[in-house]
Amino acid sequence: RPFAHKLFPVEEEALLRLAQKRTGLDDFGSDGFRRQFSVFIRALNDEAQMNTLGRFNTRVLVLSMLEARLKAEKMMKYHPDILETTVNAPFFILGLPRSGTTLLHRVIAQDFCLRHLRYWESDMPMPLGVPSQSPKAPDPRIRRAKMKLALLYWAAPQIIAMHELEAEAPDEELWLMGIDFATQMFEGGYSVPSY
């Protein structure tokens, strides 16, 4: 544990640079996310009391969100028409954690006339590969999500009692909102009261 900070640093500027290096992209888009990103990183370091594995997993999580943000900006530049797409008659389900919102969401999602967000889409919102290529079928993100969840259930089997996750099942936007670092997901996974 004394070496965890050095082995797996969770530092704002270093993580931003590493995400840029790993993707080869440099545009994070609007700086609007930076305030909550900064608050989250500071809270992780000052309050979360993560062990070595926690720091490693947190770096992986934060980097994946930063990389998704970079890729989303590239996608919007490559396909600006995405921003002109309208969603007719969207449903919004609002509620406190543990109040039944997930169950309601999954019941409504059973209507085949409606489009819902699946876990794998929320967790990995940007297609793998380059924006000019058509996505493969089946989408390789589904397999990655299944492997990620298998590892999660192995490492923390009790999580299934709190919030069951399935790669292709309807899920909430918490992961998707993570690329803006404005999500309740962090409150459930870390002790970060200042965030």
Side-chain angles (χ1 to χ4, degrees):
R1 188 166 185 155
F3 302 104
H5 284 70
K6 293 207 182 285
L7 286 172
F8 305 114
V10 181
E11 298 170 359
E12 189 174 342
E13 290 305 317
L15 288 167
L16 292 166
R17 284 192 307 272
L18 184 55
Q20 290 172 320
K21 181 179 177 183
R22 287 170 47 157
T23 60
L25 304 171
D26 61 3
D27 185 5
F28 285 103
S30 165
D31 282 342
F33 82 101
R34 294 226 184 205
R35 179 178 174 268
Q36 52 266 25
F37 175 65
S38 182
V39 170
F40 179 54
I41 296 299
R42 191 169 42 254
L44 285 171
N45 287 305
D46 295 347
E47 301 164 354
Q49 298 180 10
M50 296 178 286
N51 62 22
T52 305
L53 182 59
R55 293 187 73 78
F56 171 79
N57 287 336
T58 299
R59 276 179 57 89
V60 170
L61 174 68
V62 171
L63 283 169
S64 71
M65 291 177 174
L66 290 171
E67 290 170 13
R69 184 174 186 86
L70 288 163
K71 290 174 184 177
E73 284 301 317
K74 182 176 181 176
M75 182 68 79
M76 295 304 156
K77 286 182 181 145
Y78 198 84
H79 295 288
D81 52 302
I82 291 172
L83 298 174
E84 296 169 15
T85 304
T86 58
V87 177
N88 296 320
F91 282 87
F92 295 95
I93 301 170
L94 306 173
L96 295 171
R98 318 293 341 133
S99 65
T101 53
T102 301
L103 178 61
L104 177 60
H105 178 213
R106 290 182 179 173
V107 168
I108 292 172
Q110 297 305 306
D111 185 337
F112 65 89
C113 294
L114 301 176
R115 172 68 166 91
H116 59 272
L117 185 67
R118 294 166 187 88
Y119 170 81
W120 67 268
E121 294 170 311
S122 179
D123 183 49
M124 292 173 271
M126 300 312 304
L128 303 175
V130 294
S132 60
Q133 296 175 341
S134 297
K136 296 177 183 177
D139 196 303
R141 293 175 291 172
I142 298 170
R143 183 172 173 268
R144 285 190 180 191
K146 287 179 179 178
M147 292 185 329
K148 180 179 181 176
L149 291 175
L151 179 61
L152 174 66
Y153 286 146
W154 173 81
Q158 69 278 13
I159 200 162
I160 200 166
M162 295 183 283
H163 187 90
E164 186 177 357
L165 297 166
E166 295 177 39
E168 297 186 74
D171 204 61
E172 295 145 359
E173 79 298 333
L174 297 178
W175 298 97
L176 188 60
M177 292 176 67
I179 67 172
D180 200 43
F181 293 87
T183 175
Q184 287 183 323
M185 177 180 65
F186 300 141
E187 297 170 35
Y190 301 94
S191 176
V192 284
S194 65
Y195 173 79

